[in-house]
Amino acid sequence: MTPAITASLLYNLVQCAKRVERDLFGDPAERDEVSPFVAMLWQRGALYEALSG
């Protein structure tokens, strides 16, 4: 299944194309642990996108 194109995906592509590749096809075990602050930002961002779209 092809992943949906989101604002976050496009932003990451502009910042670093390699990041998008690793996010979609990389080994999740190689990622750094997500800090509670970053998790909160993602949660609020997803909520904002859900309410604005």
Side-chain angles (χ1 to χ4, degrees), residues 26-46:
D27 182 0
E30 293 179 356
R31 290 179 161 217
D32 291 338
E33 186 175 329
V34 176
S35 74
F37 179 70
V38 170
M40 183 268 307
L41 290 176
W42 285 342
Q43 183 180 29
R44 288 188 181 185

Side-chain angles (χ1 to χ4, degrees), residues 15-37:
Q15 296 302 311
C16 176
K18 200 68 167 167
R19 175 175 176 177
V20 175
E21 178 186 339
R22 291 186 58 96
D23 284 349
L24 295 175
F25 306 110
D27 182 0
E30 293 179 356
R31 290 179 161 217
D32 291 338
E33 186 175 329
V34 176
S35 74
F37 179 70

